[in-house]
Amino acid sequence: MEIPSFPIAIMMVVATADSRIKRTYALAEAKRASTLLKGERKETIMKIANNFKWKLEPAQPRPNLLNYDFALDFKDYIRNAAIIQHKKWKLVNRMLSKGEVFLTKVEVCRLLEEEVRRYIEQKLQVKVKSLSPDIMNRINRLKQLFYEKRGKTSWEEIPSEVIIIAYPPCIKRLHETISSGHHLSHIGRFTLTTFLVNIGMTTENVVDLFRSLADFKERMTRYQVEHIAGLKGSRTKYIPPQCDTLRTHGVCPGMDDICRRIRHPLAYYRRKLRIIKTEAPLAPGA
Amino acid sequence: MIKIDTKAFIQAKFSEYYEKNSLNIHPPSSMEKREFGFLLLKERIMLRHKAFKTAQEFRDSFKTLIPSHVYFSSAYYERPEEEMEEKGWLGADLVFDIDADHISAPCSKTHDTWSCPHCKTTGRGTPPKKCPKCNKQKFEEKTWPCEICLESAKEETIKLIDILTNDLGFSTNEMSLSFSGHRGYHLHVESKDILTLNSTSRKEIVDYIVGIGLDPQLHGLSKIGGPNLDDFGWRGRIARGTYEYLLSATPEQLEKIGLPRGVIQSLGKHKERILESWKYKGPWTMIKGVSFESWSKIAEQALKNQAAKIDTVVTTDVHRLIRLADTLHGKTGLKKTETSIATIEEFDPLKSAVAFPHGTASVDVSEAPKFRVGSEFHGPYRNEKVELPMAAALFLLCKGSARITEVGSSVR
Ligand code: SF4
Ligand SMILES: [Zn+2]
Ligand SMILES: [Zn+2]
């Protein structure tokens, strides 16, 4: 890693105060790190892994365990592998013995990428007080650039991605809660599902969102989502409850400026979309 | 003869137990960081968010509260007495629950009953999805701890322990194993390395144990070979499962999993060769007419018997409340009883969990299947008055299957 530039880059990303930019940056840094690591010697990889407190050792060759470079404590393994989607990363599809998972060098680098990504994301959680107007100007320019590039391309291709920045606070929070595998109340679930279905997310993607829940049942969830989308049963498409109702049930985390001008989460979304579209191309500092 | 109320009698017995035994009830490790929960016998309400600073305070609570169930959190909190959001989660032990309810042994048809509270329809075994008469979906269930159910729960527990030690590398010193006091076993792992695992990570452990998402092809099953009996982890389990499955499966069972006629015939014809093949590389490629697809189906089926049937919700929940050892189970009057892992094979739960070894009581039984508490069998009963050893009598009373009529003379 280019160490000298690293802290400055971090500081600038923090200053954008934009979670999407932060995530994108962390992922890019992590990917770069893991690519570099793949070319490193085993000893170097071990050192880095041990820095993150991993229990990683060279695999002792055994008759029915060939072709592996490393043995990693399974707890370190699942902490990093659990969110990688492909089935080959599921613990159950791994060779395990006495608490150790057997891995190739390339696989260890991929897992380190997750560790690095989380490490950087966590570093980006801090708040910077105030930077000079000059630096802030540059940061804002970068921010606009990011929106222009990312916003546009992903606009057509993966609408669910770009739309996230237009979510009202309540939806943002529900989305984060569920993505981290935590439970939602019944009304929380209903609000999130109806919202996403109404802004055009596919049933598939909505169902995927619930996948990380411990009691996830594919068929059940799919049925419920399709029902809400009006594809099943009564054929009525449901919409989210009003802000009012959401406040009563503790789903509203507190209003921001736009919230004060609307009475419904979907209205928030439409309004915010308009603002983003008009604001994005403006000159920095405007 | 004194006339006694059943509820008051149960309460008196529970109170007596806690008066006599509170010194034998040990606080869990780091007691002050745990949440405790009590279901109160008399008021029938759940007291949650309790916390104790001293062992004395902890023991006194049983005597004053007289709970029908006592729980403690697998989690550690900064402020266990606060509401959930305010507690400050610090970590949680790894806990497993194996309950006959999740195994559904064939005997459940003979001893379990259900009734629809709406229209009073009743039936045997596990309740249907919908009431056959009124279509309602809620039922009152009565399940019984029977020899066979408990034996199958024990088998699952032994499989679980094997996976936890051989695959996941936990030491038996980090585990405590107990009979729950009703229909199953609890296994509690205390190890500082697992404390902060989140629910997503715990789900990976659960999937490993239950074999969810397992793909035999990622364990070496291919067109040119397959796993061996002595392989590590799931690889070995797939091989051993296949070995056992092919020994015991009937042609009908093989047909059920979708094997073509020809394949079933081949498997039957080459039984000897298959057995022999395990000494070398297994039968995977050497039986003519059995394709890779067929082997995949066989392996898929075989691994089901190798998995341990744990309650998946309990293990992934990082805020779970667990029954405390040596306290009474309100549905049976038996106590949750710890046993050593080394001697689990010989462990007799229905004998070890007896909390009232002395005295007798006469009860009026409405209905009970044949059952055992202690070393004696009792029943089946139907609308009869019987005199029973205290533990057996209390068992029926707690189950709601009998009313107390008389207390034997040896009880003070
Ligand atoms: S006020 Fe309405 S839109 Fe705004 S956060 Fe609350 S619920 Fe969401
Ligand atoms: Zn009914
Ligand atoms: Zn049974």
Side-chain angles (χ1 to χ4, degrees):
Chain A
M1 270 176 254
E2 295 141 36
I3 300 301
S5 77
F6 190 57
I8 296 174
I10 294 244
M11 185 201 66
M12 289 180 73
V13 174
V14 167
T16 66
D18 182 310
S19 63
R20 221 181 119 218
I21 293 180
K22 288 179 183 175
R23 256 184 285 131
T24 310
Y25 174 78
L27 183 64
E29 275 305 337
K31 281 218 181 303
R32 207 158 62 93
S34 109
T35 311
L36 290 175
L37 275 175
K38 281 176 195 155
E40 291 291 346
R41 297 182 326 156
K42 279 193 201 175
E43 292 73 29
T44 316
I45 292 174
M46 294 247 305
K47 249 188 220 149
I48 292 172
N50 294 335
N51 248 338
F52 286 114
K53 303 228 158 54
W54 284 20
K55 286 186 194 141
L56 180 71
E57 282 169 11
Q60 303 300 333
R62 294 194 242 182
N64 34 11
L65 275 184
L66 302 168
N67 306 328
Y68 292 106
D69 302 309
F70 293 105
L72 174 65
D73 187 296
F74 90 92
K75 275 95 69 186
D76 296 325
Y77 178 84
I78 49 181
R79 268 183 232 277
N80 294 290
I83 62 159
I84 310 180
Q85 286 300 320
H86 195 277
K87 64 181 175 185
K88 85 163 205 184
W89 290 99
K90 275 196 80 61
L91 187 67
V92 73
N93 287 322
R94 285 284 155 179
M95 187 66 127
L96 251 105
S97 172
K98 298 282 172 202
E100 291 183 317
V101 184
F102 294 89
L103 298 164
T104 64
K105 191 168 123 182
V106 173
E107 287 170 338
V108 168
C109 292
R110 176 67 184 85
L111 290 174
L112 273 170
E113 181 183 314
E114 284 305 315
E115 187 77 56
V116 171
R117 188 184 56 78
R118 264 188 294 131
Y119 173 77
I120 296 175
E121 269 187 13
Q122 187 206 323
K123 285 215 134 187
L124 298 174
Q125 285 310 314
V126 294
K127 285 208 172 77
V128 282
K129 276 172 238 127
S130 62
L131 295 169
S132 74
D134 184 41
I135 294 181
M136 263 338 268
N137 265 341
R138 278 167 195 245
I139 288 168
N140 278 330
R141 215 175 307 141
L142 284 174
K143 216 164 150 179
Q144 305 301 354
L145 219 63
F146 177 85
Y147 286 141
E148 268 171 55
K149 276 196 130 176
R150 268 313 163 90
K152 269 227 186 84
T153 48
S154 42
W155 190 265
E156 288 116 14
E157 290 159 22
I158 353 157
S160 60
E161 260 280 307
V162 72
I163 278 159
I164 290 179
I165 55 170
Y167 285 3
C170 47
I171 300 297
K172 246 181 222 151
R173 191 170 70 164
L174 293 170
H175 192 243
E176 277 159 17
T177 310
I178 197 126
S179 309
S180 55
H182 286 103
H183 262 279
L184 289 184
S185 60
H186 178 73
I187 181 159
R189 250 177 208 240
F190 179 77
T191 306
L192 182 62
T193 311
T194 45
F195 182 88
L196 295 175
V197 161
N198 274 282
I199 63 166
M201 194 183 260
T202 61
T203 310
E204 218 38 65
N205 287 345
V206 179
V207 172
D208 274 346
L209 210 58
F210 290 91
R211 216 170 276 278
S212 59
L213 291 185
D215 57 354
F216 175 77
K217 292 203 184 64
E218 171 119 29
R219 265 187 47 205
M220 191 69 169
T221 310
R222 187 173 300 280
Y223 177 81
Q224 286 168 345
V225 173
E226 284 173 351
H227 185 82
I228 281 175
L231 304 168
K232 282 262 160 71
S234 59
R235 308 264 157 195
T236 33
K237 189 167 174 176
Y238 291 88
I239 59 163
Q242 305 231 2
C243 291
D244 212 345
T245 318
L246 294 175
R247 257 174 244 128
T248 313
H249 293 289
V251 179
C252 175
M255 302 193 278
D256 65 14
D257 280 352
I258 302 176
C259 281
R260 272 180 263 281
R261 285 178 278 163
I262 50 90
R263 279 197 303 264
H264 197 277
L266 282 173
Y268 182 110
Y269 183 71
R270 268 180 246 119
R271 205 167 188 130
K272 182 80 180 261
L273 275 189
R274 252 182 286 137
I275 298 174
I276 294 169
K277 272 192 185 167
T278 49
E279 258 182 12
L282 285 186
Chain B
M1 179 178 148
I2 335 139
K3 209 161 159 45
I4 350 164
D5 169 54
T6 299
K7 221 180 128 185
F9 178 73
I10 295 175
Q11 199 183 337
K13 293 311 282 184
F14 273 50
S15 166
E16 174 193 320
Y17 175 84
Y18 287 117
E19 286 294 337
K20 276 191 197 158
N21 296 289
S22 74
L23 277 177
N24 302 328
I25 301 174
H26 300 289
S29 64
S30 308
M31 170 182 66
E32 64 294 342
K33 295 203 181 79
R34 309 241 196 202
E35 176 197 355
F36 288 82
F38 298 86
L39 197 79
L40 302 188
L41 196 65
K42 199 164 148 206
E43 298 84 352
R44 288 180 195 271
I45 50 159
M46 180 77 167
L47 269 188
R48 281 201 69 163
H49 315 300
K50 297 288 279 179
F52 300 108
K53 293 246 159 19
T54 67
Q56 183 66 43
E57 210 186 308
F58 161 83
R59 289 186 172 120
D60 287 345
S61 69
F62 306 115
K63 297 191 225 170
T64 48
L65 295 171
I66 319 176
S68 55
H69 301 269
V70 183
Y71 305 98
F72 72 105
S73 64
S74 61
Y76 305 85
Y77 302 103
E78 266 169 66
R79 297 168 298 274
E81 69 287 352
E82 301 276 317
E83 290 291 313
M84 199 48 87
E85 295 74 31
E86 310 291 322
K87 280 186 185 335
W89 188 85
L90 297 168
D93 299 330
L94 187 60
V95 291
F96 299 95
D97 176 24
I98 289 180
D99 194 291
D101 291 354
H102 297 270
I103 304 169
S104 59
C107 53
S108 81
K109 271 212 172 54
T110 67
H111 52 67
D112 295 348
T113 54
W114 56 265
S115 72
C116 169
H118 188 70
C119 71
K120 305 282 179 259
T121 303
T122 60
R124 292 199 168 273
T126 33
K129 285 242 146 33
K130 272 195 240 159
C131 173
K133 216 164 162 193
C134 73
N135 282 336
K136 288 260 176 344
Q137 299 182 4
K138 275 226 164 79
F139 300 97
E140 275 161 17
E141 291 177 61
K142 196 179 277 178
T143 56
W144 295 77
C146 95
E147 304 274 325
I148 303 165
C149 287
L150 285 176
E151 204 46 45
S152 50
K154 190 193 265 185
E155 258 172 53
E156 297 302 319
T157 307
I158 291 169
K159 283 194 264 176
L160 171 65
I161 293 169
D162 173 58
I163 296 175
L164 289 178
T165 50
N166 287 318
D167 296 25
L168 300 182
F170 291 110
S171 125
T172 49
N173 299 330
E174 299 170 308
M175 301 178 195
S176 56
L177 174 66
S178 315
F179 167 53
S180 70
H182 191 208
R183 303 229 303 153
Y185 289 86
H186 295 169
L187 192 92
H188 198 118
V189 182
E190 281 190 44
S191 155
K192 70 173 188 343
D193 293 344
I194 47 93
L195 282 181
T196 57
L197 287 183
N198 64 14
S199 184
T200 316
S201 296
R202 285 170 204 246
K203 185 173 167 294
E204 282 299 298
I205 297 179
V206 167
D207 288 352
Y208 190 91
I209 291 164
V210 189
I212 294 172
L214 196 160
D215 182 350
Q217 290 191 49
L218 290 168
H219 284 289
L221 182 62
S222 73
K223 292 194 166 133
I224 55 162
N228 280 324
L229 293 180
D230 57 354
D231 277 345
F232 295 111
W234 265 108
R235 218 169 259 226
R237 254 182 222 101
I238 292 170
R240 295 190 293 275
T242 304
Y243 172 90
E244 281 165 28
Y245 182 69
L246 288 181
L247 269 185
S248 66
T250 62
E252 292 74 45
Q253 285 171 323
L254 293 173
E255 207 179 323
K256 244 197 183 149
I257 65 166
L259 294 184
R261 282 274 154 75
V263 170
I264 300 173
Q265 276 170 6
S266 264
L267 289 171
K269 209 166 84 194
H270 296 294
K271 239 184 174 148
E272 288 300 316
R273 269 189 77 199
I274 294 175
L275 269 180
E276 187 69 11
S277 76
W278 289 109
K279 288 186 193 152
Y280 314 102
K281 292 193 142 182
W284 310 110
T285 54
M286 51 179 296
I287 308 300
K288 238 187 140 173
V290 184
S291 65
F292 168 70
E293 282 70 34
S294 293
W295 282 117
S296 298
K297 279 183 188 151
I298 294 168
E300 206 71 61
Q301 195 58 34
L303 63 86
K304 286 190 187 150
N305 297 323
Q306 301 293 307
K309 298 190 185 71
I310 56 172
D311 183 325
T312 56
V313 176
V314 170
T315 305
T316 44
D317 184 352
V318 294
H319 302 283
R320 196 74 184 185
L321 290 181
I322 315 287
R323 187 178 303 283
L324 184 70
D326 291 309
T327 62
L328 297 175
H329 195 304
K331 278 186 189 161
T332 58
L334 298 170
K335 60 184 178 191
K336 172 165 170 174
T337 313
E338 272 194 51
T339 170
S340 103
I341 288 173
T343 57
I344 175 163
E345 300 270 7
E346 299 94 65
F347 176 68
D348 180 348
L350 293 174
K351 209 165 154 184
S352 314
V354 167
F356 300 93
H358 308 296
T360 61
S362 295
V363 291
D364 201 344
V365 191
S366 53
E367 196 187 359
K370 185 177 173 186
F371 69 96
R372 177 166 74 87
V373 164
S375 27
E376 270 175 75
F377 281 95
H378 308 281
Y381 301 121
R382 199 182 183 118
N383 297 325
E384 41 194 305
K385 229 181 111 173
V386 281
E387 185 180 359
L388 291 172
M390 186 56 77
L394 198 67
F395 174 77
L396 291 182
L397 295 174
C398 287
K399 275 269 156 218
S401 299
R403 283 180 308 118
I404 184 83
T405 55
E406 214 175 305
V407 182
S409 54
S410 62
V411 174
R412 293 157 289 266

